[in-house]
């Protein structure tokens, strides 16, 4: 249980470091910028994705591993929240800022980017594993559309894709890495769907 919590925390901390680095960088692709507020897309995509390797790894073991999965998610929540602490320590906005002032951001980051996505992911995993929903091309396409629309809310809907991917990985353990790669691509596309549409529309020649 302690290992699950620690691994989740380290995964979240890595996401926080990537987000902090992007926020204070000048990374941009045309009008698509990852710095400043654009860095919010990093945890919005990577936090739901991080549910996949943790849950797929834990739930593949024998016995009831749901508590370990919950602890992994809790660790992920706290790890992502370290973004606020990194801001205070490495990029303070004023001289009187302390680590205590990072507490609201520490709690809020995980509450926004991890917990709602985890709830949707767990619900999707349960629906698929209980055979109430079967993953077919049509249900997968429906899930991707729903994830793209609800992904606008801090990546919440991307948890649907993670839950479905975990269910597939448990049924096809030999393809776990391939499923994870496909999931990451899908989440990047779904998480940036409105931006991609806007960029394509703006770049289209005007008749």
């Amino acid at each position: 249980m302690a290992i699950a919590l620690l691994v989740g925390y380290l995964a979240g901390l890595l996401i926080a470091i990537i987000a902090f680095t992007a926020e204070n960088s000048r990374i941009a692709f045309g009008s698509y910028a990852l710095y400043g507020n654009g860095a919010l897309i990093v945890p919005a995509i990577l936090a739901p994705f991080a549910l996949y390797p943790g849950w797929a790894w834990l739930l593949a073991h024998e016995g009831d591993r749901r508590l370990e999965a919950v602890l992994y998610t809790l660790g992920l929540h706290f790890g992502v929240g370290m973004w606020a602490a990194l801001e205070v320590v490495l990029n303070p906005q004023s001289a009187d800022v302390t680590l205590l002032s990072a507490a609201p951001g520490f709690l809020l980051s995980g509450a926004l980017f991890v917990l709602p996505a985890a709830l949707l992911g767990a619900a999707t995993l349960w629906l698929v594993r209980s055979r109430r929903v079967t993953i077919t091309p049509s249900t997968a396409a429906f899930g991707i559309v729903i994830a793209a629309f609800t992904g606008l809310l801090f990546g919440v809907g991307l948890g649907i894709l993670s839950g479905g991917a975990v269910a597939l990985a448990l049924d096809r353990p030999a393809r776990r890495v391939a499923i994870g790669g496909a999931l990451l691509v899908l989440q990047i596309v779904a998480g940036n769907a409105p931006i991609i549409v806007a960029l394509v529309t703006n770049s289209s020649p005007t008749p």
Side-chain angles (χ1 to χ4, degrees), residues 29-56:
F29 305 94
S31 58
Y32 182 88
L34 283 177
Y35 57 83
N37 289 336
L40 291 173
I41 196 64
V42 174
I45 290 175
L46 293 185
F49 172 76
L51 296 172
Y52 171 78
W55 288 5

Side-chain angles (χ1 to χ4, degrees), residues 139-161:
T139 57
F142 179 76
I144 292 170
V145 171
I146 296 299
F149 276 106
T150 54
L152 295 173
L153 301 172
F154 305 101
V156 170
L158 301 185
I160 297 172
L161 302 181

Side-chain angles (χ1 to χ4, degrees), residues 34-116:
L34 283 177
Y35 57 83
N37 289 336
L40 291 173
I41 196 64
V42 174
I45 290 175
L46 293 185
F49 172 76
L51 296 172
Y52 171 78
W55 288 5
W57 162 59
L58 290 166
L59 298 177
H61 291 76
E62 294 182 0
D64 188 348
R65 300 291 180 174
R66 288 176 293 181
L67 178 56
E68 284 92 335
V70 170
L71 290 174
Y72 173 87
T73 306
L74 185 62
L76 184 65
H77 161 66
F78 290 134
V80 171
M82 288 300 293
W83 186 6
L86 291 173
E87 282 289 339
V88 170
V89 173
L90 301 178
N91 188 31
Q93 299 301 309
S94 63
D96 58 347
V97 173
T98 65
L99 278 175
L100 185 61
S101 63
F106 174 77
L107 297 174
L108 185 61
S109 295
L112 290 176
F113 296 110
V114 178
L115 300 184

Side-chain angles (χ1 to χ4, degrees), residues 45 140 144 147 158 161 179-192:
I45 290 175
I144 292 170
L158 301 185
L161 302 181
I179 292 170
L183 172 65
L184 181 59
V185 172
L186 278 176
Q187 290 194 332
I188 291 174
V189 172
N192 288 284

